[in-house]
Structures are given as C-alpha cells and as structure tokens.
C-alpha cells in the first residue's frame, strides 16, 4: 500500500506490526510536546496516527509538492543515508478556507534535513520538499490526529489562533472598527463644538 496519496515509494508502518510502538511514541513524547507547542490544534488530545516511511532519490520519489498533511501534528524524522537536496519549505499555517492564499514574508521558512534529526509541525502548516538531487533519502513520518479537535472544528468559524490568514482578517476587522469608532468620535466632537 502507498504510504499516502502523494508518495509512491515507502511503506505504512502499521502493516509491519509497528502500531503499538508508534502509539507509545505519540503518547509518551509527541502528545506532551504538542500540548505545549500546538494546543490550539488539539495537541493535548492526539489519539490516533498514521505512520509511514517514504523514500526519495534516483528511481524513487524526487520531490513532494506543496500540501498540508492529514494530521493535527506531524513528526518528520530523517532516517538518512547519503543525499543532497530535499529541503523542506514551509509557507504558513492555514485552515481549509485559506489553504490556497498567499504567504507573508514572516511565514517563509526552509529546513535542511539532517540524518537522525526530526521536525515537529502543525499538519496544516503548508509545506513541500524540494528535489533530492543526489543520493537516497529516507524519512519516517507520523501524522498524529485528534478526534476531539476534528469534531470541534466542524462547529468552529474562527481559526485565528492558528490560521495565519484568519488572524490577518481578524486584525483588519479590528483595525477598521477602531478607525470607524475614531472617525465617529471626531465627527461627534466636531458637531458638539459647533
């Protein structure tokens, strides 16, 4: 079985009997870290996962297009081998409504994989992987999910605590409201002096 809809080369780790080990990894390490760093996207209530490995290089996947993960929190561990390229590029966190909006300068971040090191990020943090230009790269990914957060999200309209575009829209509404209030106060002041 393909590891996900975008990668052709790799394997689903549950198919090899690693589900219990990945449960423990999520419960013991990822959930406590996510409770601190990703509470706004259900980090403290992670309760399921999809674990897989992917391979990049000659005769394998070369790169990975711009996307979001089907997770609340993603662990991406570079298992290594010798390779060049394959950098991750991040371009801001977005809700479903804003997933295709532009990125702000402060949302642009690139990360170079180092064998034995990991990245933990929000699943809705838009990202991709540049081409692995030589060698062979293998990564282990664990998409951690929260059924509680997914249910709550169905009834929520404001995602400004984690969606960059919702946050910008909210700030703009506040700015316009303040400007209108100031304008009205100045107008009233002008009328009272005449």
């Amino acid at each position: 079985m393909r590891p996900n809809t975008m990668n052709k080369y790799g394997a689903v780790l549950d198919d090899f009997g690693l589900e219990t080990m990945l449960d423990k990894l999520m419960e013991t390490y990822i959930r406590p870290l996510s409770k601190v760093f990703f509470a706004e996207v259900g980090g403290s209530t992670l309760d399921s996962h999809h674990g897989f490995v992917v391979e990049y290089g000659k005769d394998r996947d070369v790169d990975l297009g711009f996307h979001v993960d089907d997770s609340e929190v993603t662990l991406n561990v570079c298992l290594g081998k010798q390779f060049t390229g394959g950098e991750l590029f991040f371009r801001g966190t977005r809700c479903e409504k804003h997933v295709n909006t532009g990125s702000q300068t402060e949302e642009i971040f690139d990360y170079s994989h180092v064998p034995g090191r990991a990245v933990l990020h929000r699943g809705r943090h838009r990202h991709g992987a540049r081409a692995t230009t030589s060698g062979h790269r293998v990564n282990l990914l664990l998409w951690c999910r929260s059924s509680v957060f997914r249910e709550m999200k169905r009834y929520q309209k404001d995602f400004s605590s984690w969606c960059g575009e919702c946050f910008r829209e909210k700030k703009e509404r506040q700015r316009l409201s303040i400007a209108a209030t100031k304008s009205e106060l100045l107008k009233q002041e002008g009328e009272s002096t005449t």
Side-chain angles (χ1 to χ4, degrees):
M1 185 165 88
R2 287 174 58 171
N4 59 54
T5 59
M6 296 182 76
N7 291 97
K8 294 178 186 168
Y9 297 95
V12 176
L13 296 174
D14 289 353
D15 293 348
F16 296 96
L18 298 173
E19 183 174 5
T20 302
M21 186 268 304
L22 294 175
D23 281 338
K24 292 284 185 204
L25 175 65
M26 183 181 71
E27 291 166 8
T28 307
Y29 298 103
I30 298 170
R31 190 184 307 142
L33 286 169
S34 297
K35 180 179 181 179
V36 173
F37 294 107
F38 308 119
E40 72 283 358
V41 293
S44 62
T45 58
L46 300 175
D47 56 9
S48 67
H49 63 76
H50 174 61
F52 55 97
V53 292
V54 290
E55 295 181 80
Y56 295 90
K58 187 178 180 203
D59 301 324
R60 296 284 182 247
D61 290 318
V62 176
D63 58 15
L64 187 61
F66 194 55
H67 68 283
V68 294
D69 296 338
D70 183 14
S71 69
E72 277 61 68
V73 177
T74 295
L75 174 70
N76 183 338
V77 183
C78 181
L79 300 177
K81 302 238 177 168
Q82 295 289 334
F83 63 90
T84 55
E87 299 85 3
L88 292 179
F89 57 94
F90 291 93
R91 299 298 183 262
T93 306
R94 297 290 188 274
C95 64
E96 283 86 354
K97 177 183 172 186
H98 295 117
V99 72
N100 292 317
T101 59
S103 299
Q104 303 298 313
T105 306
E106 66 272 10
E107 295 178 310
I108 296 172
F109 178 75
D110 292 353
Y111 174 81
S112 296
H113 283 292
V114 175
R117 293 207 180 151
V119 176
L120 190 65
H121 64 85
R122 290 176 188 88
R124 300 290 311 175
H125 202 148
R126 302 174 305 166
H127 62 284
R130 293 197 173 87
T132 299
T133 53
S134 70
H136 186 192
R137 178 168 63 87
V138 179
N139 285 62
L140 179 148
L141 289 109
L142 191 62
W143 287 352
C144 302
R145 300 169 174 148
S146 166
S147 57
V148 171
F149 179 76
R150 288 177 180 223
E151 184 64 21
M152 285 176 27
K153 200 166 64 166
R154 293 176 52 205
Y155 304 101
Q156 198 173 357
K157 298 280 187 258
D158 179 16
F159 302 110
S160 60
S161 67
W162 58 270
C163 171
E165 197 60 29
C166 284
F167 179 76
R168 267 183 289 291
E169 287 178 356
K170 184 176 183 177
K171 286 293 187 194
E172 180 62 12
R173 284 191 307 274
Q174 289 171 342
R175 187 189 69 75
L176 291 173
S177 175
I178 290 168
T181 302
K182 282 181 180 178
S183 176
E184 184 61 29
L185 288 172
L186 289 172
K187 181 180 170 188
Q188 288 173 4
E189 244 179 52
E191 289 173 359
S192 69
T193 59
T194 56

